[in-house]
Amino acid sequence: MSNTIDANVVSRLNQGGPSSRDASQSAELRNNFMTLLIAQMQHQDPLNPMDNHEMTTQLAQINTVSGIEDLNKTLKGITEQMNAGQTLQATALIGQGVLVPGDRLLLEHGEEGELHTTPFGIELPQSADNVRVVITSASGQVINRYDIGPVKAGVESFTWDGRTSEGEAAAAGSYRVRIEATSDGKAVNANTLNYAVVGGVTPPDKNGGVRLDLGAVYGQVGLDQIKQIL
């Protein structure tokens, strides 16, 4: 009799116990493996017995399956805990203002002529000697252009006073903000961030990602897109 366990069994064992296999299937597979191994030992050729190395190798195969199953269970538990933690973290943001990638600005006029604008943010990979803010209308017309000076690397939030370059109050509505950053005379990549309010949380999907609902205008974003909480 051959000293090699059935190739189909070994192939199934080497698959490493995919998550779709339930515990009863795995237990049955282990039992079949041990039955075949015992039968092999009972009917082996006395003149050509299985050596210790071969037996150890075959036993290691079944132990590997058990180990992978236990690892999968542990990883599943860790993933569930991480998802629960992300959900709690995201839930705490409901009602909070946040900065996310985008370039939208909103301007409203108060009852007594006050100008109220939503904040905007700048994300820089390196410090800039000067940052220029350009406010444009929805049609692309420049409404205001002004410098805010040096800005450190990272995320910073700012506000526009709602006025044009001539100092007049701009019309209420939606605007765009563009950032022009320089360092030693060279352009610095800058990511523009806009303000939004977290209205709700979508539970983790099959990919484990928690989504934040920012309303119809901004849609849903992941936690990794929250650059600053205001």
Side-chain angles (χ1 to χ4, degrees), residues 59-70:
L59 288 174
Q61 290 178 320
I62 190 64
N63 288 333
T64 298
V65 173
S66 299
I68 292 177
E69 290 173 353
D70 292 339

Side-chain angles (χ1 to χ4, degrees), residues 130-145:
N130 186 63
V131 171
R132 173 167 293 183
V133 177
V134 181
I135 307 296
T136 61
S137 65
S139 63
Q141 178 185 0
V142 175
I143 303 300
N144 200 344
R145 180 186 286 109

Side-chain angles (χ1 to χ4, degrees), residues 178-198:
R178 186 174 74 248
I179 303 300
E180 300 173 353
T182 58
S183 179
D184 295 329
K186 297 180 181 180
V188 175
N189 291 329
N191 295 323
T192 307
L193 310 173
N194 59 213
Y195 176 84
V197 176
V198 180

Side-chain angles (χ1 to χ4, degrees), residues 199-223:
V201 175
T202 301
D205 54 22
K206 61 181 180 181
N207 296 320
V210 177
R211 307 289 291 177
L212 302 177
D213 185 1
L214 303 183
V217 175
Y218 303 109
Q220 294 186 343
V221 300
L223 278 173

